[in-house]
Amino acid sequence: MDRTVIGEAGRISRPNLPLLLLKARESVIRPFRPIFNRYDLTEQQWRVLRLLADQTEVEQREVAEACQILGPSLAGILARLEEAGLVRRARAKADQRRVFVTLSAKGKRLIAEMAPLVDAEYQRLESALGGELMASLITVLDRLLELPAVTENGEAPT
Amino acid sequence: MDRTVIGEAGRISRPNLPLLLLKARESVIRPFRPIFNRYDLTEQQWRVLRLLADQTEVEQREVAEACQILGPSLAGILARLEEAGLVRRARAKADQRRVFVTLSAKGKRLIAEMAPLVDAEYQRLESALGGELMASLITVLDRLLELPAVTENGEAPT
DNA sequence: ATCTAATCGATAACATGTTATAGAATATCA
DNA sequence: TGATATTCTATAACATGTTATCGATTAGAT
């Protein structure tokens, strides 16, 4: 089954799944950006704060995993969030390598203020997509992520 | 219809479409990264080169649009690709604002060398997903991108 | 022809992504 | 126990993402 397709200008254009996913994500996230900007947060900072609002006492590595942010990026993000007084970091007593991250009172207030706006925008997104398309998206993406061949880290160890 | 779900540790976790798309894209692109690294290219640089291989004589703004790269990023990317001798830039005679971007001979050779590896990896991806899931993904993502409410730029003019 | 608005690319400033590496702490095992 | 490997965070170096702004150029309207 050849999915190759002739594009607008007669060029060959194979379906480009990574690019398609990039465009889809950009479309979905775009309307949220003004909200983040209004509160001087980046998209990534919001992702971290939102996680902490739901979980309380998360290890830094869990934050990285859950928010899909690499270690070196997260180090800076948390430093800035702490500098802004929104977050606190503390080394675990049991294992001095690990760091626990917590939302500060100020952070909680900020989340409480922003959450309704973000949730409302999400509602708008859901009604724009319709329940059926939304469900299809989630189902298909979950199926993709469940594939062992896709989940594997890829590079064989030396 | 409430899609709220209780996660592993009993926490509330709404479906987070942007995060889901991010994870999906990361999973899909991960196995390609070693190829890019082997040839000292970034993912974005490859995206640009591949576009130029198919099109010849593309305006810079079209590159930005097609590759989903913002102007300021693209300025640097093209400068580095030109510095590496892979690409050429030339102002359009008719409209001195516009810049045409072209693949150099060296760039064409590089693409010719890399394309088989990248294509093979894409084949592996397709067989890992299976034709059905691949088709569903493309269909659903295309439907998302066709929605006017999602395509609109969002912010109303002042 | 002129004035104004829109377009295109570049730059600045800062945040984040990516890879490699270092440092400290802990786990593993001989 | 002691040597070794592994884990977790931080830093460095560079590329890219994001927003704001500038400069040059062209398009549109008068």
Side-chain angles (χ1 to χ4, degrees), chain B residues 44-45 47-49 51-52 58-64 67 69-90 99-103:
Chain B
Q44 292 83 351
Q45 289 168 351
R47 236 186 290 157
V48 171
L49 292 180
L51 174 73
L52 295 177
V58 191
E59 284 186 28
Q60 181 162 331
R61 44 175 301 286
E62 293 177 305
V63 176
C67 295
I69 297 174
L70 292 176
S73 295
L74 189 54
I77 291 171
L78 289 178
R80 281 178 285 274
L81 286 177
E82 191 171 36
E83 171 67 27
L86 299 171
V87 142
R88 273 191 224 91
R89 282 185 290 180
V99 170
F100 280 108
V101 189
T102 315
L103 214 54

mmCIF file of all heavy atoms in Angstrom, chain B residues 44-45 47-49 51-52 58-64 67 69-90 99-103, chain C residues 9-10, chain D residues 15-16:
data_model
loop_
_atom_site.group_PDB
_atom_site.id
_atom_site.type_symbol
_atom_site.label_atom_id
_atom_site.label_comp_id
_atom_site.label_asym_id
_atom_site.label_seq_id
_atom_site.Cartn_x
_atom_site.Cartn_y
_atom_site.Cartn_z
ATOM 1 N N GLN B 44 15.860 19.993 12.672
ATOM 2 C CA GLN B 44 15.315 21.110 11.901
ATOM 3 C C GLN B 44 16.084 21.320 10.606
ATOM 4 O O GLN B 44 15.494 21.606 9.554
ATOM 5 C CB GLN B 44 15.340 22.396 12.731
ATOM 6 C CG GLN B 44 14.403 22.419 13.921
ATOM 7 C CD GLN B 44 14.994 21.735 15.144
ATOM 8 O OE1 GLN B 44 16.046 21.099 15.061
ATOM 9 N NE2 GLN B 44 14.343 21.859 16.285
ATOM 10 N N GLN B 45 17.401 21.166 10.687
ATOM 11 C CA GLN B 45 18.209 21.328 9.481
ATOM 12 C C GLN B 45 17.825 20.276 8.447
ATOM 13 O O GLN B 45 17.703 20.563 7.257
ATOM 14 C CB GLN B 45 19.696 21.236 9.836
ATOM 15 C CG GLN B 45 20.193 22.446 10.604
ATOM 16 C CD GLN B 45 21.581 22.250 11.203
ATOM 17 O OE1 GLN B 45 22.119 21.142 11.195
ATOM 18 N NE2 GLN B 45 22.160 23.314 11.720
ATOM 19 N N ARG B 47 14.928 18.863 8.179
ATOM 20 C CA ARG B 47 13.606 19.211 7.674
ATOM 21 C C ARG B 47 13.733 20.210 6.517
ATOM 22 O O ARG B 47 13.077 20.063 5.481
ATOM 23 C CB ARG B 47 12.775 19.838 8.801
ATOM 24 C CG ARG B 47 11.462 19.154 9.065
ATOM 25 C CD ARG B 47 10.650 19.913 10.090
ATOM 26 N NE ARG B 47 11.204 19.852 11.430
ATOM 27 C CZ ARG B 47 10.971 20.733 12.386
ATOM 28 N NH1 ARG B 47 10.182 21.780 12.157
ATOM 29 N NH2 ARG B 47 11.495 20.594 13.571
ATOM 30 N N VAL B 48 14.599 21.188 6.681
ATOM 31 C CA VAL B 48 14.783 22.210 5.656
ATOM 32 C C VAL B 48 15.425 21.607 4.410
ATOM 33 O O VAL B 48 14.959 21.813 3.285
ATOM 34 C CB VAL B 48 15.653 23.365 6.200
ATOM 35 C CG1 VAL B 48 16.038 24.321 5.085
ATOM 36 C CG2 VAL B 48 14.914 24.103 7.311
ATOM 37 N N LEU B 49 16.478 20.836 4.607
ATOM 38 C CA LEU B 49 17.181 20.251 3.468
ATOM 39 C C LEU B 49 16.247 19.346 2.667
ATOM 40 O O LEU B 49 16.224 19.381 1.439
ATOM 41 C CB LEU B 49 18.403 19.456 3.955
ATOM 42 C CG LEU B 49 19.529 20.294 4.561
ATOM 43 C CD1 LEU B 49 20.673 19.405 5.006
ATOM 44 C CD2 LEU B 49 20.021 21.361 3.598
ATOM 45 N N LEU B 51 13.062 19.463 2.423
ATOM 46 C CA LEU B 51 12.093 20.266 1.671
ATOM 47 C C LEU B 51 12.726 20.781 0.389
ATOM 48 O O LEU B 51 12.143 20.700 -0.691
ATOM 49 C CB LEU B 51 11.609 21.437 2.521
ATOM 50 C CG LEU B 51 10.704 22.436 1.781
ATOM 51 C CD1 LEU B 51 9.332 21.834 1.554
ATOM 52 C CD2 LEU B 51 10.585 23.741 2.546
ATOM 53 N N LEU B 52 13.948 21.298 0.511
ATOM 54 C CA LEU B 52 14.620 21.876 -0.652
ATOM 55 C C LEU B 52 14.932 20.805 -1.692
ATOM 56 O O LEU B 52 14.951 21.083 -2.892
ATOM 57 C CB LEU B 52 15.909 22.564 -0.217
ATOM 58 C CG LEU B 52 15.706 23.784 0.689
ATOM 59 C CD1 LEU B 52 17.036 24.349 1.124
ATOM 60 C CD2 LEU B 52 14.864 24.834 -0.022
ATOM 61 N N VAL B 58 12.826 27.750 -3.232
ATOM 62 C CA VAL B 58 11.734 28.032 -2.317
ATOM 63 C C VAL B 58 12.013 29.359 -1.623
ATOM 64 O O VAL B 58 13.146 29.648 -1.240
ATOM 65 C CB VAL B 58 11.617 26.928 -1.247
ATOM 66 C CG1 VAL B 58 10.335 27.080 -0.464
ATOM 67 C CG2 VAL B 58 11.704 25.562 -1.892
ATOM 68 N N GLU B 59 10.978 30.147 -1.459
ATOM 69 C CA GLU B 59 11.144 31.384 -0.710
ATOM 70 C C GLU B 59 11.331 31.053 0.768
ATOM 71 O O GLU B 59 10.753 30.101 1.280
ATOM 72 C CB GLU B 59 9.917 32.287 -0.875
ATOM 73 C CG GLU B 59 9.870 32.981 -2.224
ATOM 74 C CD GLU B 59 8.721 33.966 -2.279
ATOM 75 O OE1 GLU B 59 8.341 34.481 -1.200
ATOM 76 O OE2 GLU B 59 8.200 34.211 -3.381
ATOM 77 N N GLN B 60 12.095 31.884 1.434
ATOM 78 C CA GLN B 60 12.395 31.630 2.843
ATOM 79 C C GLN B 60 11.121 31.520 3.669
ATOM 80 O O GLN B 60 11.001 30.662 4.533
ATOM 81 C CB GLN B 60 13.295 32.756 3.383
ATOM 82 C CG GLN B 60 13.667 32.563 4.832
ATOM 83 C CD GLN B 60 14.860 33.398 5.238
ATOM 84 O OE1 GLN B 60 15.723 33.687 4.413
ATOM 85 N NE2 GLN B 60 14.908 33.780 6.491
ATOM 86 N N ARG B 61 10.161 32.388 3.383
ATOM 87 C CA ARG B 61 8.926 32.342 4.160
ATOM 88 C C ARG B 61 8.153 31.044 3.921
ATOM 89 O O ARG B 61 7.461 30.552 4.806
ATOM 90 C CB ARG B 61 8.039 33.556 3.879
ATOM 91 C CG ARG B 61 7.917 33.927 2.403
ATOM 92 C CD ARG B 61 6.929 35.047 2.185
ATOM 93 N NE ARG B 61 5.606 34.672 2.669
ATOM 94 C CZ ARG B 61 4.795 33.809 2.050
ATOM 95 N NH1 ARG B 61 5.197 33.208 0.929
ATOM 96 N NH2 ARG B 61 3.612 33.545 2.529
ATOM 97 N N GLU B 62 8.304 30.499 2.708
ATOM 98 C CA GLU B 62 7.657 29.220 2.442
ATOM 99 C C GLU B 62 8.340 28.103 3.223
ATOM 100 O O GLU B 62 7.685 27.177 3.695
ATOM 101 C CB GLU B 62 7.726 28.900 0.936
ATOM 102 C CG GLU B 62 6.910 29.824 0.074
ATOM 103 C CD GLU B 62 7.080 29.500 -1.406
ATOM 104 O OE1 GLU B 62 8.238 29.467 -1.898
ATOM 105 O OE2 GLU B 62 6.064 29.276 -2.080
ATOM 106 N N VAL B 63 9.662 28.204 3.340
ATOM 107 C CA VAL B 63 10.391 27.216 4.133
ATOM 108 C C VAL B 63 9.891 27.245 5.568
ATOM 109 O O VAL B 63 9.612 26.205 6.181
ATOM 110 C CB VAL B 63 11.911 27.489 4.100
ATOM 111 C CG1 VAL B 63 12.642 26.509 4.995
ATOM 112 C CG2 VAL B 63 12.430 27.419 2.672
ATOM 113 N N ALA B 64 9.769 28.461 6.098
ATOM 114 C CA ALA B 64 9.311 28.610 7.479
ATOM 115 C C ALA B 64 7.944 27.960 7.657
ATOM 116 O O ALA B 64 7.723 27.180 8.587
ATOM 117 C CB ALA B 64 9.251 30.092 7.850
ATOM 118 N N CYS B 67 8.099 24.013 7.022
ATOM 119 C CA CYS B 67 8.872 23.270 8.022
ATOM 120 C C CYS B 67 8.427 23.588 9.439
ATOM 121 O O CYS B 67 8.962 23.034 10.401
ATOM 122 C CB CYS B 67 10.356 23.557 7.875
ATOM 123 S SG CYS B 67 11.041 22.985 6.315
ATOM 124 N N ILE B 69 8.834 26.332 11.208
ATOM 125 C CA ILE B 69 9.932 26.958 11.942
ATOM 126 C C ILE B 69 9.709 28.465 11.904
ATOM 127 O O ILE B 69 9.441 29.032 10.841
ATOM 128 C CB ILE B 69 11.290 26.602 11.294
ATOM 129 C CG1 ILE B 69 11.539 25.094 11.380
ATOM 130 C CG2 ILE B 69 12.423 27.381 11.942
ATOM 131 C CD1 ILE B 69 12.781 24.633 10.654
ATOM 132 N N LEU B 70 9.830 29.112 13.037
ATOM 133 C CA LEU B 70 9.596 30.549 13.098
ATOM 134 C C LEU B 70 10.743 31.321 12.449
ATOM 135 O O LEU B 70 11.889 30.849 12.422
ATOM 136 C CB LEU B 70 9.421 30.990 14.538
ATOM 137 C CG LEU B 70 8.145 30.487 15.220
ATOM 138 C CD1 LEU B 70 8.120 30.902 16.684
ATOM 139 C CD2 LEU B 70 6.907 30.982 14.511
ATOM 140 N N GLY B 71 10.428 32.514 11.975
ATOM 141 C CA GLY B 71 11.401 33.327 11.267
ATOM 142 C C GLY B 71 12.749 33.449 11.947
ATOM 143 O O GLY B 71 13.778 33.154 11.327
ATOM 144 N N PRO B 72 12.775 33.887 13.184
ATOM 145 C CA PRO B 72 14.068 34.083 13.846
ATOM 146 C C PRO B 72 14.885 32.794 13.939
ATOM 147 O O PRO B 72 16.107 32.844 13.815
ATOM 148 C CB PRO B 72 13.665 34.588 15.239
ATOM 149 C CG PRO B 72 12.355 35.264 15.029
ATOM 150 C CD PRO B 72 11.662 34.427 13.983
ATOM 151 N N SER B 73 14.243 31.661 14.148
ATOM 152 C CA SER B 73 14.976 30.400 14.177
ATOM 153 C C SER B 73 15.526 30.085 12.792
ATOM 154 O O SER B 73 16.685 29.696 12.635
ATOM 155 C CB SER B 73 14.072 29.262 14.638
ATOM 156 O OG SER B 73 13.657 29.447 15.957
ATOM 157 N N LEU B 74 14.678 30.282 11.805
ATOM 158 C CA LEU B 74 15.080 29.922 10.448
ATOM 159 C C LEU B 74 16.260 30.768 9.987
ATOM 160 O O LEU B 74 17.148 30.270 9.276
ATOM 161 C CB LEU B 74 13.896 30.088 9.493
ATOM 162 C CG LEU B 74 14.108 29.552 8.085
ATOM 163 C CD1 LEU B 74 14.534 28.098 8.119
ATOM 164 C CD2 LEU B 74 12.864 29.734 7.234
ATOM 165 N N ALA B 75 16.293 32.021 10.386
ATOM 166 C CA ALA B 75 17.422 32.884 10.004
ATOM 167 C C ALA B 75 18.737 32.236 10.415
ATOM 168 O O ALA B 75 19.673 32.145 9.615
ATOM 169 C CB ALA B 75 17.266 34.255 10.656
ATOM 170 N N GLY B 76 18.797 31.766 11.657
ATOM 171 C CA GLY B 76 20.016 31.126 12.131
ATOM 172 C C GLY B 76 20.282 29.801 11.447
ATOM 173 O O GLY B 76 21.420 29.497 11.068
ATOM 174 N N ILE B 77 19.236 29.013 11.272
ATOM 175 C CA ILE B 77 19.392 27.703 10.644
ATOM 176 C C ILE B 77 19.957 27.850 9.234
ATOM 177 O O ILE B 77 20.907 27.163 8.852
ATOM 178 C CB ILE B 77 18.027 26.974 10.619
ATOM 179 C CG1 ILE B 77 17.608 26.588 12.042
ATOM 180 C CG2 ILE B 77 18.083 25.754 9.728
ATOM 181 C CD1 ILE B 77 16.188 26.069 12.162
ATOM 182 N N LEU B 78 19.391 28.778 8.467
ATOM 183 C CA LEU B 78 19.858 28.966 7.096
ATOM 184 C C LEU B 78 21.273 29.530 7.077
ATOM 185 O O LEU B 78 22.086 29.152 6.229
ATOM 186 C CB LEU B 78 18.899 29.882 6.346
ATOM 187 C CG LEU B 78 17.544 29.261 6.015
ATOM 188 C CD1 LEU B 78 16.647 30.265 5.306
ATOM 189 C CD2 LEU B 78 17.717 28.005 5.169
ATOM 190 N N ALA B 79 21.572 30.401 8.011
ATOM 191 C CA ALA B 79 22.933 30.947 8.073
ATOM 192 C C ALA B 79 23.935 29.816 8.300
ATOM 193 O O ALA B 79 24.986 29.774 7.654
ATOM 194 C CB ALA B 79 23.024 31.978 9.197
ATOM 195 N N ARG B 80 23.592 28.894 9.198
ATOM 196 C CA ARG B 80 24.514 27.791 9.483
ATOM 197 C C ARG B 80 24.599 26.812 8.311
ATOM 198 O O ARG B 80 25.672 26.308 7.972
ATOM 199 C CB ARG B 80 24.103 27.076 10.769
ATOM 200 C CG ARG B 80 24.536 27.814 12.041
ATOM 201 C CD ARG B 80 24.094 27.120 13.310
ATOM 202 N NE ARG B 80 22.672 27.297 13.577
ATOM 203 C CZ ARG B 80 22.157 28.334 14.230
ATOM 204 N NH1 ARG B 80 22.946 29.282 14.678
ATOM 205 N NH2 ARG B 80 20.860 28.432 14.430
ATOM 206 N N LEU B 81 23.445 26.555 7.675
ATOM 207 C CA LEU B 81 23.461 25.653 6.521
ATOM 208 C C LEU B 81 24.261 26.260 5.375
ATOM 209 O O LEU B 81 24.968 25.556 4.646
ATOM 210 C CB LEU B 81 22.021 25.356 6.071
ATOM 211 C CG LEU B 81 21.222 24.404 6.966
ATOM 212 C CD1 LEU B 81 19.795 24.262 6.460
ATOM 213 C CD2 LEU B 81 21.897 23.035 7.051
ATOM 214 N N GLU B 82 24.167 27.578 5.224
ATOM 215 C CA GLU B 82 24.927 28.241 4.169
ATOM 216 C C GLU B 82 26.415 28.203 4.513
ATOM 217 O O GLU B 82 27.262 27.906 3.667
ATOM 218 C CB GLU B 82 24.454 29.690 4.012
ATOM 219 C CG GLU B 82 24.988 30.362 2.773
ATOM 220 C CD GLU B 82 24.314 31.711 2.536
ATOM 221 O OE1 GLU B 82 24.015 32.418 3.524
ATOM 222 O OE2 GLU B 82 24.094 32.072 1.360
ATOM 223 N N GLU B 83 26.717 28.488 5.761
ATOM 224 C CA GLU B 83 28.094 28.420 6.252
ATOM 225 C C GLU B 83 28.701 27.041 6.001
ATOM 226 O O GLU B 83 29.879 26.911 5.670
ATOM 227 C CB GLU B 83 28.098 28.732 7.756
ATOM 228 C CG GLU B 83 29.420 28.509 8.466
ATOM 229 C CD GLU B 83 30.484 29.493 8.004
ATOM 230 O OE1 GLU B 83 30.106 30.600 7.570
ATOM 231 O OE2 GLU B 83 31.676 29.131 8.061
ATOM 232 N N ALA B 84 27.864 26.006 6.141
ATOM 233 C CA ALA B 84 28.331 24.635 5.917
ATOM 234 C C ALA B 84 28.376 24.285 4.435
ATOM 235 O O ALA B 84 28.765 23.179 4.061
ATOM 236 C CB ALA B 84 27.435 23.648 6.661
ATOM 237 N N GLY B 85 27.943 25.208 3.594
ATOM 238 C CA GLY B 85 28.000 24.979 2.155
ATOM 239 C C GLY B 85 26.907 24.076 1.623
ATOM 240 O O GLY B 85 27.008 23.542 0.521
ATOM 241 N N LEU B 86 25.858 23.900 2.389
ATOM 242 C CA LEU B 86 24.797 22.982 1.977
ATOM 243 C C LEU B 86 23.661 23.696 1.256
ATOM 244 O O LEU B 86 22.850 23.066 0.585
ATOM 245 C CB LEU B 86 24.245 22.239 3.205
ATOM 246 C CG LEU B 86 25.260 21.377 3.951
ATOM 247 C CD1 LEU B 86 24.685 20.866 5.255
ATOM 248 C CD2 LEU B 86 25.708 20.212 3.075
ATOM 249 N N VAL B 87 23.639 25.007 1.387
ATOM 250 C CA VAL B 87 22.488 25.782 0.931
ATOM 251 C C VAL B 87 22.960 27.139 0.414
ATOM 252 O O VAL B 87 24.016 27.617 0.813
ATOM 253 C CB VAL B 87 21.530 25.958 2.142
ATOM 254 C CG1 VAL B 87 20.885 27.315 2.164
ATOM 255 C CG2 VAL B 87 20.483 24.856 2.158
ATOM 256 N N ARG B 88 22.201 27.715 -0.489
ATOM 257 C CA ARG B 88 22.503 29.075 -0.953
ATOM 258 C C ARG B 88 21.288 29.964 -0.819
ATOM 259 O O ARG B 88 20.166 29.508 -0.958
ATOM 260 C CB ARG B 88 22.951 29.055 -2.424
ATOM 261 C CG ARG B 88 24.436 28.824 -2.576
ATOM 262 C CD ARG B 88 24.904 29.075 -4.008
ATOM 263 N NE ARG B 88 25.830 27.999 -4.401
ATOM 264 C CZ ARG B 88 25.451 26.870 -4.992
ATOM 265 N NH1 ARG B 88 24.174 26.663 -5.278
ATOM 266 N NH2 ARG B 88 26.340 25.953 -5.292
ATOM 267 N N ARG B 89 21.543 31.222 -0.527
ATOM 268 C CA ARG B 89 20.447 32.181 -0.434
ATOM 269 C C ARG B 89 20.663 33.309 -1.440
ATOM 270 O O ARG B 89 21.791 33.745 -1.647
ATOM 271 C CB ARG B 89 20.351 32.773 0.984
ATOM 272 C CG ARG B 89 19.705 31.842 1.980
ATOM 273 C CD ARG B 89 19.530 32.505 3.317
ATOM 274 N NE ARG B 89 20.821 32.713 3.973
ATOM 275 C CZ ARG B 89 20.940 33.284 5.176
ATOM 276 N NH1 ARG B 89 19.864 33.698 5.807
ATOM 277 N NH2 ARG B 89 22.120 33.439 5.707
ATOM 278 N N ALA B 90 19.574 33.792 -2.042
ATOM 279 C CA ALA B 90 19.685 34.887 -3.004
ATOM 280 C C ALA B 90 18.413 35.718 -2.962
ATOM 281 O O ALA B 90 17.302 35.164 -2.975
ATOM 282 C CB ALA B 90 19.914 34.330 -4.401
ATOM 283 N N VAL B 99 13.670 36.235 -0.181
ATOM 284 C CA VAL B 99 14.915 35.487 -0.354
ATOM 285 C C VAL B 99 14.597 34.088 -0.854
ATOM 286 O O VAL B 99 13.739 33.412 -0.287
ATOM 287 C CB VAL B 99 15.683 35.409 0.989
ATOM 288 C CG1 VAL B 99 16.844 34.434 0.880
ATOM 289 C CG2 VAL B 99 16.165 36.787 1.413
ATOM 290 N N PHE B 100 15.275 33.690 -1.885
ATOM 291 C CA PHE B 100 15.124 32.323 -2.386
ATOM 292 C C PHE B 100 16.210 31.442 -1.794
ATOM 293 O O PHE B 100 17.372 31.849 -1.711
ATOM 294 C CB PHE B 100 15.216 32.280 -3.916
ATOM 295 C CG PHE B 100 13.952 32.690 -4.597
ATOM 296 C CD1 PHE B 100 13.871 33.908 -5.262
ATOM 297 C CD2 PHE B 100 12.839 31.867 -4.571
ATOM 298 C CE1 PHE B 100 12.695 34.290 -5.889
ATOM 299 C CE2 PHE B 100 11.664 32.244 -5.192
ATOM 300 C CZ PHE B 100 11.589 33.461 -5.856
ATOM 301 N N VAL B 101 15.843 30.259 -1.412
ATOM 302 C CA VAL B 101 16.795 29.320 -0.845
ATOM 303 C C VAL B 101 16.933 28.130 -1.789
ATOM 304 O O VAL B 101 15.942 27.643 -2.339
ATOM 305 C CB VAL B 101 16.332 28.825 0.535
ATOM 306 C CG1 VAL B 101 17.417 28.020 1.205
ATOM 307 C CG2 VAL B 101 15.912 29.996 1.395
ATOM 308 N N THR B 102 18.173 27.691 -1.980
ATOM 309 C CA THR B 102 18.443 26.583 -2.894
ATOM 310 C C THR B 102 19.432 25.617 -2.278
ATOM 311 O O THR B 102 20.284 26.007 -1.490
ATOM 312 C CB THR B 102 19.063 27.109 -4.205
ATOM 313 O OG1 THR B 102 18.329 28.245 -4.629
ATOM 314 C CG2 THR B 102 19.048 26.037 -5.271
ATOM 315 N N LEU B 103 19.302 24.359 -2.656
ATOM 316 C CA LEU B 103 20.255 23.351 -2.228
ATOM 317 C C LEU B 103 21.518 23.460 -3.090
ATOM 318 O O LEU B 103 21.437 23.593 -4.301
ATOM 319 C CB LEU B 103 19.612 21.972 -2.414
ATOM 320 C CG LEU B 103 19.941 20.872 -1.416
ATOM 321 C CD1 LEU B 103 19.670 21.337 -0.007
ATOM 322 C CD2 LEU B 103 19.130 19.636 -1.739
ATOM 323 P P DG C 9 11.266 36.198 3.560
ATOM 324 O OP1 DG C 9 11.789 35.480 2.393
ATOM 325 O OP2 DG C 9 10.299 35.547 4.472
ATOM 326 O "O5'" DG C 9 12.495 36.736 4.417
ATOM 327 C "C5'" DG C 9 13.486 37.512 3.757
ATOM 328 C "C4'" DG C 9 14.299 38.281 4.771
ATOM 329 O "O4'" DG C 9 13.421 39.129 5.533
ATOM 330 C "C3'" DG C 9 15.048 37.422 5.791
ATOM 331 O "O3'" DG C 9 16.446 37.607 5.619
ATOM 332 C "C2'" DG C 9 14.580 37.916 7.155
ATOM 333 C "C1'" DG C 9 13.930 39.244 6.832
ATOM 334 N N9 DG C 9 12.804 39.559 7.699
ATOM 335 C C8 DG C 9 11.636 38.870 7.823
ATOM 336 N N7 DG C 9 10.808 39.398 8.677
ATOM 337 C C5 DG C 9 11.486 40.503 9.148
ATOM 338 C C6 DG C 9 11.096 41.473 10.104
ATOM 339 O O6 DG C 9 10.024 41.539 10.745
ATOM 340 N N1 DG C 9 12.084 42.426 10.299
ATOM 341 C C2 DG C 9 13.305 42.458 9.635
ATOM 342 N N2 DG C 9 14.128 43.440 9.944
ATOM 343 N N3 DG C 9 13.669 41.559 8.741
ATOM 344 C C4 DG C 9 12.722 40.618 8.558
ATOM 345 P P DA C 10 17.453 37.014 6.714
ATOM 346 O OP1 DA C 10 18.770 36.900 6.049
ATOM 347 O OP2 DA C 10 16.816 35.847 7.344
ATOM 348 O "O5'" DA C 10 17.565 38.170 7.810
ATOM 349 C "C5'" DA C 10 18.176 39.385 7.447
ATOM 350 C "C4'" DA C 10 18.496 40.197 8.701
ATOM 351 O "O4'" DA C 10 17.260 40.576 9.333
ATOM 352 C "C3'" DA C 10 19.322 39.450 9.755
ATOM 353 O "O3'" DA C 10 20.401 40.269 10.147
ATOM 354 C "C2'" DA C 10 18.330 39.188 10.886
ATOM 355 C "C1'" DA C 10 17.297 40.286 10.706
ATOM 356 N N9 DA C 10 15.930 39.895 11.077
ATOM 357 C C8 DA C 10 15.218 38.834 10.580
ATOM 358 N N7 DA C 10 14.005 38.734 11.080
ATOM 359 C C5 DA C 10 13.924 39.799 11.954
ATOM 360 C C6 DA C 10 12.889 40.251 12.800
ATOM 361 N N6 DA C 10 11.693 39.644 12.896
ATOM 362 N N1 DA C 10 13.126 41.346 13.553
ATOM 363 C C2 DA C 10 14.319 41.945 13.459
ATOM 364 N N3 DA C 10 15.371 41.618 12.700
ATOM 365 C C4 DA C 10 15.091 40.529 11.966
ATOM 366 P P DA D 15 25.828 25.930 16.719
ATOM 367 O OP1 DA D 15 26.371 25.400 15.470
ATOM 368 O OP2 DA D 15 25.878 27.371 17.026
ATOM 369 O "O5'" DA D 15 24.314 25.470 16.846
ATOM 370 C "C5'" DA D 15 23.994 24.088 16.778
ATOM 371 C "C4'" DA D 15 22.497 23.906 16.943
ATOM 372 O "O4'" DA D 15 22.127 24.188 18.309
ATOM 373 C "C3'" DA D 15 21.646 24.826 16.066
ATOM 374 O "O3'" DA D 15 20.615 24.051 15.460
ATOM 375 C "C2'" DA D 15 21.109 25.874 17.039
ATOM 376 C "C1'" DA D 15 21.052 25.100 18.347
ATOM 377 N N9 DA D 15 21.245 25.936 19.531
ATOM 378 C C8 DA D 15 22.294 26.769 19.788
ATOM 379 N N7 DA D 15 22.197 27.398 20.939
ATOM 380 C C5 DA D 15 21.008 26.942 21.477
ATOM 381 C C6 DA D 15 20.336 27.222 22.676
ATOM 382 N N6 DA D 15 20.798 28.079 23.588
ATOM 383 N N1 DA D 15 19.169 26.591 22.904
ATOM 384 C C2 DA D 15 18.711 25.734 21.982
ATOM 385 N N3 DA D 15 19.255 25.381 20.812
ATOM 386 C C4 DA D 15 20.415 26.031 20.618
ATOM 387 P P DT D 16 19.627 24.725 14.438
ATOM 388 O OP1 DT D 16 19.225 23.672 13.512
ATOM 389 O OP2 DT D 16 20.191 25.995 13.952
ATOM 390 O "O5'" DT D 16 18.371 25.070 15.372
ATOM 391 C "C5'" DT D 16 17.675 24.004 15.983
ATOM 392 C "C4'" DT D 16 16.652 24.535 16.970
ATOM 393 O "O4'" DT D 16 17.312 25.350 17.961
ATOM 394 C "C3'" DT D 16 15.574 25.436 16.349
ATOM 395 O "O3'" DT D 16 14.330 24.788 16.571
ATOM 396 C "C2'" DT D 16 15.709 26.758 17.109
ATOM 397 C "C1'" DT D 16 16.390 26.321 18.395
ATOM 398 N N1 DT D 16 17.154 27.378 19.107
ATOM 399 C C2 DT D 16 16.749 27.778 20.354
ATOM 400 O O2 DT D 16 15.765 27.320 20.904
ATOM 401 N N3 DT D 16 17.530 28.750 20.935
ATOM 402 C C4 DT D 16 18.660 29.341 20.415
ATOM 403 O O4 DT D 16 19.275 30.200 21.036
ATOM 404 C C5 DT D 16 19.041 28.877 19.103
ATOM 405 C C7 DT D 16 20.259 29.436 18.432
ATOM 406 C C6 DT D 16 18.286 27.926 18.516
#
